[in-house]
Amino acid sequence: MTTSVPAVPETAAAAAQAAGRRRRIALAVVLTAAFMDLVDATIVNIAIPSIQRDTGATFSAVQWVTAGYALAFALGLITGGRLGDIHGRKKLFLLGMGGFTLASALCGFAAGPGMLVGARVLQGAMAALMVPQVLAIIHVTFPAHERGKVFGMFGAVIGLGAVCGPLIGALLTEGDLFGLEWRPIFLINLPVGIAGILLGRRFLAESRAPRALRVDLIGTALATAGLLMLLYPLTQGRESGWPLWGFVSMAASPLVLAVFVRYERAKARKDGSPLVELPLFKIRTFAAGAGVQLTFGVVSGLFFLVWTLHMQLGLGWGPLHAGLTGVPFSLACSAAAGVSVQRLVPRFGRKVLQAGALIMLSGALVYLWEAGRYGTALESWQLVPAMLLMGAGMGLIVAPITDTVISEVPAEHSGSASGIFNTTGQLGMALGLGLSSVAFFGVVGDTGQPGGAGTGAGAADALRASFVDATAHALWWVCGGLVLVFGLLFLLPRRMRAQEAAERAESAAPEGGAGPEQRQPALAS
């Protein structure tokens, strides 16, 4: 007499294997989206000289190609996250990826600077719908005991994007595929985006927040108006001869932002769904950290634009030459970021971030000295010490800054604080790009505009020398910003309270992984 063995265990194992496969594919889709966003935020700088030559873009248009993306992304981040909570994260992710892919096509086929700037703004807005869903989808897709490894993979992808962005841009621009010059840096997103949409529709699971905050459209409109009233005349003013309307607009910008603050307070009392949780700024460390993030964003936005133009227009290097020169910076930044989070900050606290500001400042001063001494004869190998110092200093700051600041925020507000904090950094980058009108392009003058330098070897030498002088002038602004960052860091806690609590919880938790309330790492693009 034989007894049949039920196939339930085997069926359960097969189902678990299939579920694991779906999770892995879903993870690949959302990590690819995060990679696309970060690469597109950094890939453009290296192609700016090629874009200017091909389209005849003015300096202000060049600024808006990068600043437009950063500003649209910053202003849409919080709203994009809330829309995902309300209407479904999968739905908003796919909508954002589809829009991002379409905007990339418009960028690649742009007929002129105006169309390119508009497409970049659209691309940033679509990224603001797509990116906030990434961590939320990961959180609801993977069980608690797997999230630590998955978030580690997410961090590795972010670091890889920071390293690969300039190199990918350099290779595509230098390669001049099909005679398209700079356009492939955007068109490469098309097959990736289409594949992501098809796979996402099949393998991503839909989820919503049980109690989602409402969308604050009026607050978003007020914030957008106030910031544009500052950034538009700041960016366009130099080329327009600094007209009176520009100064009036910049003077009125704080008034509009003050109206925004009053409205946010009223919105909080009415339904508890303001765009910005203003009480967070009553926490001294959060307010100081937001100041650090804003100032550091200004420094970063200004430096990366200036650095790219110095190498290509000042020193006459090609895109690939310039991209390879930045490899020491990227490698030092990635290495320092990993060491700071895992070993240094838990032991030394805010001193690590302060050391990062001083190291980065020393790198900027070395760069400043080399630019002054060697002029247009500067070689790549001579820039290596400055690049290593600046990369290592940046890595010591950018990796731990979010958790260091949010450690002082009550746990129930950590999500809002993280969104505001990341938005502040993006706004800082947009402001830094706007300030380049004064700090950099104001020194170059009209000689750098298409057709503005005349012809002949003498005019070319004068143009290159003007870019070198402008770089030195802008680097002093960078140094001043880093000094301010160093001072603001004194207002942060000496040690990360959240880190201490996590260490105690980890030592007390049973074996088997993190709990369901494990904090998600913040995304810094």
Side-chain angles (χ1 to χ4, degrees), residues 168-211:
I168 294 173
L171 288 170
L172 292 175
T173 305
E174 188 91 8
D176 192 17
L177 300 177
F178 307 108
L180 293 175
E181 299 188 22
W182 53 272
R183 299 176 188 274
I185 69 172
F186 298 111
L187 298 178
I188 194 175
N189 289 334
L190 271 60
V192 178
I194 292 171
I197 293 169
L198 296 176
L199 292 172
R201 289 186 62 186
R202 180 175 178 183
F203 292 101
L204 292 182
E206 186 60 280
S207 65
R208 293 175 175 84
R211 287 194 310 166

Side-chain angles (χ1 to χ4, degrees), residues 5 17 37 54 62 83 129 147 153-154 196 207 237 304 338 345 354 386 400 411 457 460 468 474 518:
V5 178
Q17 186 176 9
D37 162 63
D54 182 47
V62 163
L83 287 171
L129 294 181
R147 288 184 201 137
M153 295 172 63
F154 173 81
S207 65
F304 285 119
V345 171
Q354 291 173 315
V468 172
Q518 178 183 13

Side-chain angles (χ1 to χ4, degrees), residues 439-519:
F440 183 78
F441 293 115
V443 178
V444 173
D446 294 330
T447 57
Q449 301 284 11
T455 58
D461 290 342
L463 174 61
R464 290 176 59 185
S466 70
F467 275 98
V468 172
D469 292 340
T471 300
H473 186 261
L475 283 172
W476 282 116
W477 284 65
V478 171
C479 291
L482 290 170
V483 170
L484 181 56
V485 167
F486 177 77
L488 289 172
L489 286 169
F490 278 101
L491 298 176
L492 298 187
R494 292 180 181 273
R495 281 180 57 81
M496 295 169 57
R497 295 181 186 175
Q499 177 68 30
E500 295 171 351
E503 290 171 355
R504 288 195 300 270
E506 185 177 350
S507 63
E511 200 171 333
E517 294 186 16
Q518 178 183 13
R519 186 204 301 233

Side-chain angles (χ1 to χ4, degrees), residues 210-268:
R211 287 194 310 166
L213 296 174
R214 298 180 181 180
V215 176
D216 183 5
L217 294 179
I218 296 178
T220 302
L222 286 171
T224 302
L227 291 168
L228 282 177
M229 288 172 68
L230 173 64
L231 288 174
Y232 184 80
L234 184 64
T235 303
Q236 299 289 138
R238 189 194 63 82
E239 291 184 4
S240 302
W242 297 110
L244 179 61
W245 65 261
F247 291 101
V248 172
S249 177
M250 287 188 283
S253 172
L255 300 178
V256 175
L257 294 176
V259 173
F260 165 74
V261 171
R262 288 180 62 88
Y263 176 80
E264 291 298 285
R265 289 173 177 164
K267 177 77 169 173

Side-chain angles (χ1 to χ4, degrees), residues 299-323:
V299 169
S300 301
L302 177 60
F303 172 73
F304 285 119
L305 178 62
V306 167
W307 179 27
T308 299
L309 296 179
H310 173 236
M311 288 189 292
Q312 296 191 59
L313 299 182
L315 302 178
W317 299 347
L320 185 58
H321 187 174

Side-chain angles (χ1 to χ4, degrees), residues 54-353:
D54 182 47
T55 65
T58 62
F59 284 150
S60 63
V62 163
Q63 291 169 269
W64 279 115
V65 167
T66 49
Y69 183 96
L71 185 60
F73 183 66
L75 292 171
L77 265 177
I78 298 175
T79 300
R82 290 190 184 173
L83 287 171
D85 291 342
I86 296 170
H87 300 289
R89 286 130 183 179
K90 174 182 176 179
K91 183 183 296 184
L92 265 292
F93 177 84
L94 293 176
L95 177 62
M97 179 167 271
F100 190 90
T101 304
L102 174 62
S104 298
L106 294 175
C107 288
F109 295 115
M115 181 177 175
L116 178 58
V117 170
R120 281 288 284 173
V121 171
L122 176 63
Q123 196 181 36
M126 292 299 103
L129 294 181
M130 175 178 69
V131 172
Q133 320 310 327
V134 171
L135 290 178
I137 289 173
I138 291 175
H139 189 77
V140 300
T141 301
F142 287 87
H145 67 276
E146 294 184 15
R147 288 184 201 137
K149 180 174 67 175
V150 172
F151 286 141
M153 295 172 63
F154 173 81
V157 167
I158 295 302
L160 184 64
V163 174
C164 292
L167 284 179
I168 294 173
L171 288 170
L172 292 175
T173 305
E174 188 91 8
D176 192 17
L177 300 177
F178 307 108
L180 293 175
E181 299 188 22
W182 53 272
R183 299 176 188 274
I185 69 172
F186 298 111
L187 298 178
I188 194 175
N189 289 334
L190 271 60
V192 178
I194 292 171
I197 293 169
L198 296 176
L199 292 172
R201 289 186 62 186
R202 180 175 178 183
F203 292 101
L204 292 182
E206 186 60 280
S207 65
R208 293 175 175 84
R211 287 194 310 166
L213 296 174
R214 298 180 181 180
V215 176
D216 183 5
L217 294 179
I218 296 178
T220 302
L222 286 171
T224 302
L227 291 168
L228 282 177
M229 288 172 68
L230 173 64
L231 288 174
Y232 184 80
L234 184 64
T235 303
Q236 299 289 138
R238 189 194 63 82
E239 291 184 4
S240 302
W242 297 110
L244 179 61
W245 65 261
F247 291 101
V248 172
S249 177
M250 287 188 283
S253 172
L255 300 178
V256 175
L257 294 176
V259 173
F260 165 74
V261 171
R262 288 180 62 88
Y263 176 80
E264 291 298 285
R265 289 173 177 164
K267 177 77 169 173
R269 291 191 299 267
K270 180 180 178 182
D271 59 16
S273 296
L275 181 68
V276 176
E277 295 282 354
L278 295 176
L280 288 171
F281 290 92
K282 295 180 181 179
I283 304 172
R284 190 190 70 168
T285 52
F286 182 81
V292 170
Q293 186 81 330
L294 180 69
T295 308
F296 195 75
V298 171
V299 169
S300 301
L302 177 60
F303 172 73
F304 285 119
L305 178 62
V306 167
W307 179 27
T308 299
L309 296 179
H310 173 236
M311 288 189 292
Q312 296 191 59
L313 299 182
L315 302 178
W317 299 347
L320 185 58
H321 187 174
L324 292 174
T325 302
V327 169
F329 180 100
S330 298
L331 294 178
C333 186
S334 297
V339 173
S340 68
V341 171
Q342 296 174 14
R343 298 184 179 182
L344 297 180
V345 171
R347 183 175 180 184
F348 300 106
R350 76 179 183 204
K351 292 180 181 178
V352 177
L353 285 78

